[in-house]
Amino acid sequence: MKTAFVSIIGRTNVGKSTLLNAILGEKISIISDKPQTTRSRIVGVYNADDIQIAFLDTPGFHKPENKLGSKMIEVAEESMDDADLLLFVAECRLPGGTEREVLRRIADSDIPCILVLNKIDKVRKDDILKVIAAYAELHNFASVVPISALQRDGVKIVLDEILKFTTDSEIAYYPTDSATDRSERYLATELVREKLLRNLREEVPHGTAVEPILFRDREDGNLTEIYVNIICERESHKGIIIGKQGTMLKKIATEARSEIENLLGRKVYLECRVKVREDWRNNDSLINEYNEF
Ligand SMILES: Nc1nc2c(ncn2[C@@H]2O[C@H](COP(=O)(O)OP(=O)(O)OP(=O)(O)O)[C@@H](O)[C@H]2O)c(=O)[nH]1
Ligand SMILES: [Mg+2]
């Protein structure tokens, strides 16, 4: 069997999770237009005939503003340790400070790296060549692939490039019938967090976490009951999350429920309560309580 461990790294919001979902053809990692969407590492498993590629989706590099942010950067750095190959995802623009810093880490690691230039649907064709040339001066990449993860353009080429880095292995490292190492319970709570990120603005969504309280299949039918706490940082944020006459919370819960139903393939009853934990993102024990790193 041919296997590889591939770590997907890069600045926040460049489309790492979108790319992983596109490669797998399944949504295992949440996506939003806000930075710092992915908070912990999640394994996405690509299984094909006699091939298994384990992808690590990681939090994006950014300047941390609290202890949670520092922890996320640590998770991203550690994910490089055991990788056979790095997928460095960047937007298709000239490299900036964060990109150069990530490249320094990549050079230090000595691990082969494929550069994926994403969001080419937003740039002119001529500019793509300029960007490739600028990056080629900074690092000796195994290959450079311009793509649009959103439009699934070039994703197959990325996969073909990765396949060149697989090595022979006696065993598969992950079960061959699952696309992730994470539980349904984890994926479900993440979907609630995704809807918070998508519906709320500015600081409010970044200060939220979703804590699973109860997840159980009702014996009498095809229904899964899910109870979660939505944690937020301030009393004023709680009001915004709940919204006028509860409309915002209802919208978030309805959107999350419908997607969790697709994920589980059964009906779902979802109850979300909102709780305030002042400044939890600077409290180590609360950070660990609300996140599965
Ligand atoms: N136009 C365009 N937008 C894209 C593309 N790929 C991703 N996006 C958008 O970019 C935003 C960020 O995508 P994510 O996949 O969450 O980015 P990420 O790198 O995982 O972000 P973090 O988890 O915060 O590090 C979302 O709004 C995506 O829809 C693309 O190819 N083209
Ligand atoms: Mg992500």
Side-chain angles (χ1 to χ4, degrees):
M1 160 163 250
K2 299 260 183 207
T3 62
F5 277 89
V6 182
S7 183
I8 307 177
I9 58 167
R11 193 167 54 81
T12 182
N13 213 35
V14 294
K16 298 180 294 299
S17 302
T18 308
L19 172 61
L20 176 59
N21 292 343
I23 290 173
L24 299 179
E26 224 173 288
K27 180 166 168 185
I28 62 147
S29 202
I30 62 166
I31 292 166
S32 89
D33 59 355
K34 313 281 192 308
Q36 291 141 57
T37 297
T38 305
R39 276 190 185 156
S40 57
R41 121 194 165 148
I42 173 165
V43 180
V45 188
Y46 174 86
N47 287 301
D49 271 352
D50 230 28
I51 296 170
Q52 180 170 80
I53 302 169
F55 291 94
L56 299 184
D57 188 13
T58 67
F61 287 99
H62 65 282
K63 232 197 221 128
E65 284 170 6
N66 46 53
K67 283 190 176 175
L68 173 65
S70 308
K71 175 70 190 172
M72 285 159 57
I73 306 284
E74 212 179 289
V75 169
E77 281 173 337
E78 280 171 3
S79 80
M80 294 168 65
D81 289 349
D82 300 319
D84 303 313
L85 176 69
L86 303 174
L87 273 195
F88 174 34
V89 184
E91 281 192 25
C92 192
R93 334 193 195 122
L94 294 174
T98 309
E99 282 75 19
R100 284 165 198 268
E101 207 184 303
V102 179
L103 276 172
R104 272 195 289 278
R105 290 174 218 243
I106 292 171
D108 284 348
S109 77
D110 247 358
I111 302 168
C113 177
I114 296 174
L115 172 64
V116 177
L117 295 172
N118 191 27
K119 308 197 185 182
I120 56 166
D121 53 289
K122 292 208 299 196
V123 298
R124 291 188 331 186
K125 279 233 160 59
D126 297 353
D127 292 339
I128 298 176
L129 294 175
K130 283 184 204 150
V131 175
I132 293 176
Y135 268 102
E137 282 194 11
L138 299 177
H139 188 80
N140 187 15
F141 295 103
S143 59
V144 181
V145 192
I147 69 160
S148 168
L150 195 65
Q151 299 179 347
R152 309 266 196 281
D153 180 12
V155 172
K156 173 81 174 52
I157 302 172
V158 175
L159 192 56
D160 287 342
E161 289 298 319
I162 294 167
L163 288 173
K164 295 180 186 166
F165 289 87
T166 54
T167 51
D168 288 319
S169 158
E170 293 291 313
I171 47 152
Y173 291 95
Y174 293 94
T176 51
D177 59 353
S178 172
T180 178
D181 66 330
R182 295 287 192 166
S183 63
E184 287 181 336
R185 175 186 165 121
Y186 178 83
L187 299 180
T189 44
E190 280 287 275
L191 284 170
V192 177
R193 203 163 62 76
E194 181 187 78
K195 302 314 170 198
L196 290 163
L197 281 159
R198 290 191 179 194
N199 283 291
L200 301 165
R201 288 187 306 173
E202 286 154 20
E203 266 309 282
V204 185
H206 294 298
T208 61
V210 180
E211 181 188 30
I213 300 298
L214 184 68
F215 196 106
R216 74 170 166 218
D217 293 335
R218 229 183 245 172
E219 283 164 20
D220 58 347
N222 305 327
L223 187 88
T224 300
E225 289 177 294
I226 302 175
Y227 296 80
V228 301
N229 282 341
I230 293 172
I231 312 296
C232 67
E233 280 182 328
R234 277 183 222 134
E235 208 54 50
S236 62
H237 290 185
K238 181 174 173 177
I240 294 169
I241 293 168
I242 293 173
K244 265 200 193 112
Q245 280 147 7
T247 46
M248 180 52 93
L249 187 59
K250 187 155 184 221
K251 181 165 188 283
I252 288 165
T254 307
E255 288 177 13
R257 194 196 63 220
S258 135
E259 228 178 294
I260 297 168
E261 285 181 341
N262 285 340
L263 170 81
L264 303 182
R266 29 193 300 139
K267 286 257 168 250
V268 165
Y269 170 80
L270 173 65
E271 199 171 294
C272 305
R273 297 225 168 125
V274 186
K275 296 211 158 162
V276 182
R277 290 282 179 277
E278 296 267 339
D279 205 26
W280 69 266
R281 286 188 292 170
N282 278 312
N283 179 320
D284 288 322
S285 69
L286 291 181
I287 288 173
N288 286 315
E289 198 175 319
Y290 301 146
N291 294 280
E292 286 180 44
F293 291 109

